[in-house]
Amino acid sequence: MSSAGLLQPPRGMRDFYPDDMRRREAIFAAWREAAARFGFEPYDACVVETLDLLKRKGGEEIAEQLYTFQDKSGRDLALRAEMTPTLARLVAARQNELSFPLKWYAVAQCFRYERMSRGRKREHFQWNLDIVGESSVAAEAEVLAAAHCALGLLGLGDGQVVIHVNSRALLSELLSLAGIPPNGHAAVFLALDKRGKVEDATVKALLAETGLDPQCIEAALRMMTIGSLDEAAAFLGRESPALRDLRELLRLLSCYGLGPRDIQFDISVIRGLGYYTGIVFEAFDKAREFRAVFGGGRYENLLKQIGGRSLPAVGLGFGDVVIGELLARQSPTAVPPSDRDMAVTFMDDSQRALAMRLARQLRQAGCRVDLALTSERPKAFFSRAARSGFRRAVIIGPDEAQQGLARVKNLLDRTEETIRLPALNDGT
Ligand code: HAM
């Protein structure tokens, strides 16, 4: 590899310089704040999992995208591509001690060997919000309202991101009506989820691979033209449990202040992960320029599948990449301000000990202090401090030292004051 190549991270991975970290931290802070406001507790786990937990049957794309490896003892391991199997493992392992419903969140780095595109990297951070142990749609409402709260904290709450919601249970009712037996529905979902991502002919071929005859394929594609809950009811010829859940979800979300500009029924939302069983959702920017901002749904069987007791669960994953792009489009040059508080310097070595004592005293009082490592001239110091985002610049020169004072310049409003220096022999 050329030496220039060595300076780049591997394809699809990102570096975070301090400006990037501030942007990233602003997103994480909104996620954490929204989770806390909605009573979710944080959890975490190692980014490495056993391949047994992560590998899947059944044609999901994510199974092909795993970064797998063997450790030196020959164990088959993988980097997690999502947090949900890990969450299921954590819950199943302590199912008898935990109290339900539990509301947990994590900010987890995930790795997927994806085809690189706008909004898709090979590594991303994902905010996961999950409620385990609640079967009513109150759980979906709470999770979606929390995600909407995070959007609001990021300045994207006023209909700029729209949640598209559907239900695999509704799709199952429709597929059954078309004569497709329930044991084939999961495979049909994964094939239908490819609509819009691959050619229509490929979708038809995938549906045929699931064993559907041409008539059933047409019926499955026809149901994808349903545009509203009322139309779905007309298609079914009745109100159904799945329709009732969707209507109830929209009603509950209106109590949280989410209306039609925030959330819409969308029959095309199916999701590419096999474990969803009920309501599913994906959020997109209003103009549909970007990939999904977040996605999730109800999964009732995953805990049992990995060896736990059966428990209802609902959750979502909200990545940092698309939201970062949306925020950058909104204000291309904006970098959240630095929270660097004070820079302290001295003009020559004879004031170094005073500067160190002052920095120590200020740090003990809780100030964030960057102490100069070498002496500086005032002009160079003040311009460095302003450039680096400090709020206050404190300088000790020979005159100040003699008077037992330091000069403090407020770099935001350009005012100046003096503060008393700790005496060299005061034992602090
Ligand atoms: P997912 O739809 O695969 O769901 O991912 C959720 C979100 O993670 C996406 O909407 C997107 O924001 C982000 N994301 C996924 N892959 C990438 C990528 N390659 N690059 C950048 N961002 C990405 C899940 O992962 C489910 N486990 C979510 C969930 C939690 N369901 C229930 N609980």
Side-chain angles (χ1 to χ4, degrees), residues 62 81-85 87 112 114 119-126 128-130 271 273 275-276 282 292-297 299 314-322:
I62 203 165
E82 53 162 342
M83 200 60 176
T84 313
L87 169 76
R112 299 182 187 183
E114 289 235 26
R120 287 293 176 268
K121 308 270 177 208
R122 292 188 174 155
E123 146 280 315
H124 70 283
F125 286 89
Q126 206 190 78
N128 277 252
L129 271 184
D130 288 85
R271 312 272 300 133
L273 297 165
Y275 47 66
Y276 294 113
E282 263 169 2
V293 177
F294 65 76
Y299 50 102
V314 57
L316 62 80
F318 185 149
D320 66 328
V321 179
V322 173

Side-chain angles (χ1 to χ4, degrees), residues 80-138:
R80 67 176 167 224
E82 53 162 342
M83 200 60 176
T84 313
T86 300
L87 169 76
R89 179 175 66 69
L90 263 66
V91 173
R94 301 228 176 137
Q95 225 161 334
N96 295 331
E97 298 144 55
L98 295 167
S99 53
F100 297 97
L102 58 79
K103 294 168 71 180
W104 284 5
Y105 82 90
V107 175
Q109 194 172 21
C110 299
F111 296 83
R112 299 182 187 183
Y113 193 79
E114 289 235 26
R115 204 159 50 80
M116 294 274 292
S117 64
R118 192 173 183 200
R120 287 293 176 268
K121 308 270 177 208
R122 292 188 174 155
E123 146 280 315
H124 70 283
F125 286 89
Q126 206 190 78
W127 181 39
N128 277 252
L129 271 184
D130 288 85
I131 298 182
V132 182
E134 177 55 51
S135 47
S136 80
V137 287

Side-chain angles (χ1 to χ4, degrees), residues 222-291:
R222 210 168 34 251
M223 85 183 186
M224 301 310 288
T225 62
I226 292 174
S228 70
L229 293 179
D230 289 343
E231 234 184 275
F235 227 87
L236 287 169
R238 62 186 167 93
E239 280 297 315
S240 71
L243 277 172
R244 268 194 294 279
D245 273 355
L246 281 166
R247 291 193 201 278
E248 176 64 357
L249 174 62
L250 297 181
R251 191 188 68 78
L252 291 177
L253 281 171
S254 72
C255 305
Y256 288 96
L258 277 79
R261 67 174 193 167
D262 305 303
I263 178 151
Q264 295 168 5
F265 170 68
D266 181 349
I267 194 86
S268 72
V269 173
I270 297 177
R271 312 272 300 133
L273 297 165
Y275 47 66
Y276 294 113
T277 50
I279 285 177
V280 281
F281 45 81
E282 263 169 2
F284 293 94
D285 60 298
K286 199 164 66 181
R288 287 298 291 254
E289 258 180 70
F290 295 88
R291 300 278 299 259

Side-chain angles (χ1 to χ4, degrees), residues 1-288:
M1 185 185 281
S2 72
S3 58
L6 279 176
L7 297 182
Q8 299 304 319
R11 187 165 157 73
M13 311 291 168
R14 294 169 297 169
D15 295 324
F16 294 90
Y17 285 77
D19 278 3
D20 308 315
M21 278 305 280
R22 290 217 287 282
R23 290 193 194 93
R24 185 177 110 179
E25 282 305 316
I27 295 171
F28 287 14
W31 287 345
R32 292 196 179 105
E33 178 59 24
R37 285 192 196 178
F38 279 72
F40 285 79
E41 287 191 289
Y43 71 99
D44 204 355
C46 183
V47 73
V48 175
E49 279 287 2
T50 59
L51 185 57
D52 272 347
L53 182 80
L54 301 187
K55 75 175 175 220
R56 309 264 178 82
K57 311 174 230 65
E60 290 160 283
E61 209 169 39
I62 203 165
E64 310 298 314
Q65 297 170 335
L66 287 175
Y67 279 86
T68 58
F69 59 99
Q70 280 196 336
D71 70 9
K72 290 186 196 297
S73 308
R75 291 182 192 89
D76 288 316
L77 302 173
L79 299 180
R80 67 176 167 224
E82 53 162 342
M83 200 60 176
T84 313
T86 300
L87 169 76
R89 179 175 66 69
L90 263 66
V91 173
R94 301 228 176 137
Q95 225 161 334
N96 295 331
E97 298 144 55
L98 295 167
S99 53
F100 297 97
L102 58 79
K103 294 168 71 180
W104 284 5
Y105 82 90
V107 175
Q109 194 172 21
C110 299
F111 296 83
R112 299 182 187 183
Y113 193 79
E114 289 235 26
R115 204 159 50 80
M116 294 274 292
S117 64
R118 192 173 183 200
R120 287 293 176 268
K121 308 270 177 208
R122 292 188 174 155
E123 146 280 315
H124 70 283
F125 286 89
Q126 206 190 78
W127 181 39
N128 277 252
L129 271 184
D130 288 85
I131 298 182
V132 182
E134 177 55 51
S135 47
S136 80
V137 287
E140 276 89 340
E142 184 78 355
V143 160
L144 287 172
H148 184 256
C149 171
L151 289 170
L153 292 170
L154 290 165
L156 293 169
D158 50 354
Q160 293 182 65
V161 173
V162 185
I163 302 165
H164 296 243
V165 64
N166 191 15
S167 159
R168 283 198 178 180
L170 171 65
L171 292 169
S172 270
E173 290 168 355
L174 291 161
L175 290 175
S176 295
L177 192 75
I180 301 165
N183 61 4
H185 292 184
V188 173
F189 292 153
L190 293 181
L192 286 175
D193 183 60
K194 296 274 188 296
R195 282 172 68 250
K197 298 169 193 157
V198 296
E199 304 273 310
D200 289 355
T202 313
V203 176
K204 284 190 181 173
L206 288 169
L207 285 168
E209 271 172 37
T210 71
L212 297 198
D213 60 33
Q215 215 181 343
C216 287
I217 293 176
E218 285 315 312
L221 292 173
R222 210 168 34 251
M223 85 183 186
M224 301 310 288
T225 62
I226 292 174
S228 70
L229 293 179
D230 289 343
E231 234 184 275
F235 227 87
L236 287 169
R238 62 186 167 93
E239 280 297 315
S240 71
L243 277 172
R244 268 194 294 279
D245 273 355
L246 281 166
R247 291 193 201 278
E248 176 64 357
L249 174 62
L250 297 181
R251 191 188 68 78
L252 291 177
L253 281 171
S254 72
C255 305
Y256 288 96
L258 277 79
R261 67 174 193 167
D262 305 303
I263 178 151
Q264 295 168 5
F265 170 68
D266 181 349
I267 194 86
S268 72
V269 173
I270 297 177
R271 312 272 300 133
L273 297 165
Y275 47 66
Y276 294 113
T277 50
I279 285 177
V280 281
F281 45 81
E282 263 169 2
F284 293 94
D285 60 298
K286 199 164 66 181
R288 287 298 291 254

